[in-house]
Amino acid sequence: MRPLLASCFVLALLCAALARVVHADALDDEARRIAKQLQCPVCSGASVADSPSDLAGQMRSVIRAKLQAGEREEQIVAYFVERYGDGVLIEPPRRGIGLAVWLAPLTMLAVGAVLLWRLLRIWIRPRPAVSPIAGPSTATSAALHPPAAPYRNGTARAEGSAPASSVDRARAELDQFRREG
Amino acid sequence: MADFGHIAIVAAFVIAAYAAIAAPLGVRLRAPELLASAYNAVLGVAILLSVASATLLLAFLTNDFSIKYVAEHSSREMPLSLVAAAFYGGQAGSLLYWGWTLSLFSALVALQQRRTDPTLMAYVHMTLMGVMTFFGLILGFVASPFEKMPVVPANGLGLNPLLYDLGMLYHPPMLLAGYMSWTIPFAFAVAALATGRLDVEWIKSTRRYALVAWAILGIGNMLGGWWAYRVLGWGGYWGWDPVENSAIMPWLIGTAFIHSVMIQERRGMLKVWNMALVLVTFYLAIFGTFVVRSGVINSVHSFAQSAIGPYFLGFLTLVVASTLSLLFWRLPRLRSENQLDSLLSREASFLVNNLLFLGLVFAIFWGTIFPLVSEAVQGTKITVGPPFFNQVAGPILVVLIALMGVGPLMPWRKGRAESLLRLFVPPVAFGVLVAAAVGLVKGFDQPKALASFGACAFVTATIATELFKGTLARRRATGENLALALGNLVSRNNRRYGGYVVHLGVVMIAVAVTASTAYQAERSAQLRPGESLQVAEYRLTFNGLRERAEPGVRIVEAQLAVEADRELVGTLITDKRFYRGFERQPSTSVGIRTTPLDDLYVVLAGWEADGSASFMVFVNPLVIWIWLGGIVCAAGALVAMWPQARPSLASVGAPTRGLAVGRA
């Protein structure tokens, strides 16, 4: 009986002591949805919903209180932005300096695409037909006709003469392909 | 013991610096003795750092708290199995691990490439030992793992509770080794630039090392996600945290490299481009190590913060400046020897692949450093959280996945539009069909997810067709039965089909990531004992809290009964652990019940004095397929890098029976 009592006592003590430390406030789903949009201001890389810090706990309580008072999601988010600045938003705002984070990748991708397109236009010049097998390289042609040989001396290899039987030819080509890895 | 380890590190530093100078000097002075001594020095550094690492390990095993690093990262209660986790749990130890594995890889490369051209290898050794010298400097004089305590404490502080997990034994060493192993392709690139031997040869010797590095870093990332999913307790596996971003960036550029390098192998094109990709991958690997270990960008991972920042920045600047000047110096020799023939070619599809990978990495890099940029420019730190990365990276990734189905069907040089059209219609139709089917079941309100599923189905169809056609063709040609034909097809063309296996693994991961992102169900609730909560098809009943103690830790655990479709399927336990010395930083054990269809993921968030507890519950569809896909990718990489047993590589250039039909 003694150990049981003792452990009950310890559990009660622990609960009393830790209720503050662990975020013991249950968030209903709406509060959690709002908390997930907010960055915990004192910790790094965690949202208010997931952070174990005291401040995040208080912010969750504020969100719940405001929800109970009938405030809407936008109002609550705006309240936190007013208090903590744009940095409290997990998704960077699409205005002011926040716009730069959204636009730069799109710009770079567009510039890259234009550059690549122009480069390809320069590289691709009409040249005399070179390719005896210009058809699609399906697995069939991969197994039977090896893809272009590893680059050698800058010149394309010319066509060779084919052996007599088609089975022989296929075997020989498989050997050849195998050699080339 | 501390002095012994310290001396080993300083000796390694001196010898590495010697090798980095002796190797190029040997080439300059035409002195083979110097080259031989540099070679020996590479092996010597490996031995010395092995000794240093063993010393630190021994210090942990014997609880030698006179060493500061040991006192700060372990305690008498720490289980033996976590000694390794403690070893690289802090800054100095993880840098020692980095340097140690680099010394081992350098020695391995030196041994393997004994017969390779000594001039090229001299510069490889110079580069490897140059990097080694930097780590020797850091380990010996800035962040020494053997720094002593002024007073020997009776017990250590203990390991950060976040690291009390089996995943810690695998995830950091893989990741750090992944960063480290990109030094090898980098060294070959520098050697090629320095010697001016920029032909296909350096690419040949680099390709396999690059593949190994790519695989190690990829596995490291995967294990990191697995660890985060099980330990961090927020319901996901990837949070676009700066540390995660820095780990994925070199991997993505490395992926671009192992694709575009094929163009150089086959066509002698893109030499500057490939060189630049290898260099950038290495820069990003160093940047990643630096971000993980300096805490420059605030992040949950940066436990360790110290004075190594300026050193890393200086080193990175030096490396970037010197290698870029080398590259510009050699630009005239890196001229392409061929031209592109058509937009409808494998070359062109690889170039689009490269563009997308680069755009993706730029977006991730920009988003990662943007908080610092905005702080510097405007004084306010803008947060760039997961929504940004999901919205920007998501679409790029979907296009990249679709490209996995396009590239392999494209012929080298030039394809014909009509035949390509015929080839692509069935798999595209299959993709559209699958997307529509998923839409009918799940609704059309998540078009991005449907696009991703469609792309995955399309790729799967192309790979299956390729395998099927190849097997049939081989059976026709050789008369083998189907199974044997398939096996031989793969083993004889292991690079091609290994690549397909990797692509299949990526498709598995993509499907699972899409499903678990788009169709995750989430509830949070406070329950009194006996109360229930319904989440998706699961009904959870809270059975009550229990408190127990293990050496060095108090555990409060909650037990929940799980019903699926009104049938009891088991119980889940989730707990909070309060480690001695870290009472204000409790760690969470997530209760996870995995099935092939979904993971039920329950987190104990907190409790009240009346015995009620609050929970966060997630139902994450298909998550197990992420980890299985990772295994498939690793297996595919292994197939692709498996050396061909035949000694016939040497005969590639030799004329063979006048046979070149089909080789354009």
Side-chain angles (χ1 to χ4, degrees), chain A:
Chain A
M1 215 51 207
R2 286 276 295 276
L4 185 68
L5 262 177
S7 76
C8 281
F9 180 66
V10 168
L11 180 60
L13 268 186
L14 206 62
C15 286
L18 297 172
R20 233 170 6 90
V21 180
V22 180
H23 46 294
D25 46 336
L27 285 168
D28 53 58
D29 296 330
E30 197 177 356
R32 186 167 162 79
R33 201 177 58 236
I34 296 171
K36 274 173 90 171
Q37 297 172 34
L38 302 172
Q39 162 79 27
C40 162
V42 291
C43 32
S44 44
S47 73
V48 169
D50 298 318
S51 162
S53 76
D54 288 348
L55 179 60
Q58 287 160 18
M59 287 170 78
R60 286 192 294 265
S61 310
V62 171
I63 295 172
R64 238 195 356 252
K66 284 179 172 290
L67 278 175
Q68 275 158 2
E71 284 190 42
R72 280 178 298 115
E73 186 175 328
E74 306 86 76
Q75 287 174 302
I76 299 174
V77 172
Y79 165 81
F80 283 109
V81 171
E82 199 182 323
R83 280 195 70 172
Y84 295 100
D86 279 343
V88 81
L89 295 171
I90 279 198
E91 181 172 336
R94 288 176 168 84
R95 63 188 139 76
I97 193 169
L99 206 57
V101 74
W102 290 98
L103 288 184
L106 296 177
T107 317
M108 286 302 275
L109 209 56
V111 168
V114 170
L115 278 180
L116 179 62
W117 176 250
R118 297 190 62 151
L119 206 65
L120 287 174
R121 293 294 295 270
I122 294 168
W123 276 349
I124 301 169
R125 299 225 179 82
R127 289 200 293 167
V130 267
S131 159
I133 300 250
S137 146
T138 61
T140 319
S141 61
L144 293 180
H145 316 290
Y151 166 73
R152 273 181 226 132
N153 307 328
T155 52
R157 281 276 294 263
E159 232 176 302
S161 59
S165 117
S166 69
V167 173
D168 279 355
R169 198 184 67 184
R171 281 225 181 94
E173 281 177 10
L174 279 169
D175 282 350
Q176 169 76 17
F177 187 44
R178 201 170 60 203
R179 243 172 242 119
E180 285 166 7

Side-chain angles (χ1 to χ4, degrees), chain B residues 42 108 118 141 208 219 221 225 235 257 261 316 327 363 406 419 430 442 463 470 473 476 508 525 567 606 608 632 634:
Chain B
V42 171
L108 197 72
F141 308 101
R208 188 162 291 144
I219 294 171
N221 268 293
F257 172 72
V261 78
L316 196 56
L327 185 65
V406 176
S419 47
F430 181 66
K442 285 283 186 185
I463 296 175
R476 259 203 316 278
M508 287 166 71
E567 209 171 301
E608 300 290 346
V632 171

Side-chain angles (χ1 to χ4, degrees), chain A residues 22-24 26-27 29 32 36 44 87 90 94 120 125 127 134 136 139 148 151 172 176-179, chain B residues 265-266 300 337 339-341 383 385 391 414 419 466 492-493 522-524 526 605 607 616 656 659 663:
Chain A
V22 180
H23 46 294
L27 285 168
D29 296 330
R32 186 167 162 79
K36 274 173 90 171
S44 44
I90 279 198
R94 288 176 168 84
L120 287 174
R125 299 225 179 82
R127 289 200 293 167
Y151 166 73
Q176 169 76 17
F177 187 44
R178 201 170 60 203
R179 243 172 242 119
Chain B
E265 261 184 288
R266 302 250 178 200
V300 287
E337 293 162 54
Q339 282 198 317
L340 219 57
D341 298 297
T383 307
Q391 286 174 53
K414 191 168 170 54
S419 47
E466 288 279 279
R492 304 257 158 113
N493 308 288
E522 177 183 353
R523 292 290 307 272
S524 51
Q526 186 162 358
W607 54 85
M616 288 187 284
T656 41
L659 247 183
R663 262 188 300 108

Side-chain angles (χ1 to χ4, degrees), chain B residues 56 60 68-70 72-73 85-99 135 138-139 141-147 159 163 176 289-296 301-312:
Chain B
L56 186 61
F60 270 114
K68 197 175 169 202
Y69 187 76
V70 176
E72 283 177 354
H73 294 92
F87 185 103
Y88 35 67
Q91 185 185 71
S94 58
L95 292 177
L96 174 59
Y97 175 81
W98 211 107
F135 277 89
I138 294 281
L139 289 168
F141 308 101
V142 186
S144 169
F146 294 106
E147 198 180 319
L159 188 63
L163 310 184
L176 292 168
T289 310
F290 166 57
V291 168
V292 177
R293 281 306 157 202
S294 71
V296 64
H301 283 66
S302 302
F303 321 106
Q305 309 206 353
S306 94
I308 61 163
Y311 288 88
F312 261 90

Side-chain angles (χ1 to χ4, degrees), chain B residues 15-239:
Chain B
I15 294 179
Y18 162 75
I21 296 165
L25 207 64
V27 175
R28 248 316 127 73
L29 305 177
R30 298 173 195 287
E33 318 77 66
L34 268 178
L35 294 186
S37 112
Y39 171 89
N40 290 335
V42 171
L43 304 186
V45 168
I47 293 169
L48 281 168
L49 283 184
S50 301
V51 168
S53 301
T55 310
L56 186 61
L57 207 59
L58 195 67
F60 270 114
L61 288 173
T62 56
N63 287 324
D64 183 353
F65 298 129
S66 67
I67 297 175
K68 197 175 169 202
Y69 187 76
V70 176
E72 283 177 354
H73 294 92
S74 78
S75 61
R76 294 190 189 283
E77 298 87 41
M78 192 177 75
L80 269 188
S81 60
L82 285 170
V83 163
F87 185 103
Y88 35 67
Q91 185 185 71
S94 58
L95 292 177
L96 174 59
Y97 175 81
W98 211 107
W100 175 46
T101 47
L102 176 63
S103 74
L104 291 184
F105 269 48
S106 304
L108 197 72
V109 169
L111 287 170
Q112 262 187 351
Q113 307 281 345
R114 289 194 298 287
R115 317 230 178 282
T116 310
D117 166 28
T119 317
L120 186 80
M121 286 317 290
Y123 285 103
V124 170
H125 292 159
M126 172 194 80
T127 315
L128 291 173
M129 288 302 108
V131 176
M132 196 69 244
T133 307
F134 168 70
F135 277 89
L137 175 78
I138 294 281
L139 289 168
F141 308 101
V142 186
S144 169
F146 294 106
E147 198 180 319
K148 284 189 223 167
M149 289 294 265
V151 183
V152 180
N155 198 352
L157 292 176
L159 188 63
N160 186 315
L162 274 179
L163 310 184
Y164 268 78
D165 180 79
L166 265 184
M168 268 331 268
L169 295 183
Y170 316 112
H171 136 62
M174 268 309 206
L175 208 52
L176 292 168
Y179 282 141
M180 175 283 299
S181 46
W182 278 103
T183 317
I184 313 278
F186 170 76
F188 276 93
V190 170
L193 284 172
T195 53
R197 294 184 193 166
L198 297 152
D199 48 12
V200 182
E201 284 313 309
W202 83 270
I203 285 283
K204 282 230 168 86
S205 32
T206 310
R207 200 193 65 90
R208 188 162 291 144
Y209 291 123
L211 211 52
V212 172
W214 176 85
I216 296 177
L217 189 56
I219 294 171
N221 268 293
M222 184 56 77
L223 288 172
W226 183 68
W227 171 78
Y229 184 66
R230 290 170 51 254
V231 174
L232 294 184
W234 54 272
Y237 36 81
W238 189 263

Side-chain angles (χ1 to χ4, degrees), chain B residues 461-496:
Chain B
T462 59
I463 296 175
T465 317
E466 288 279 279
L467 277 177
F468 186 65
K469 280 188 188 166
T471 308
L472 282 190
R474 195 181 161 86
R475 186 175 70 164
R476 259 203 316 278
T478 61
E480 295 162 348
N481 67 35
L482 271 184
L484 193 63
L486 178 67
N488 280 333
L489 184 76
V490 171
S491 68
R492 304 257 158 113
N493 308 288
N494 62 328
R495 279 179 63 180
R496 181 189 183 95

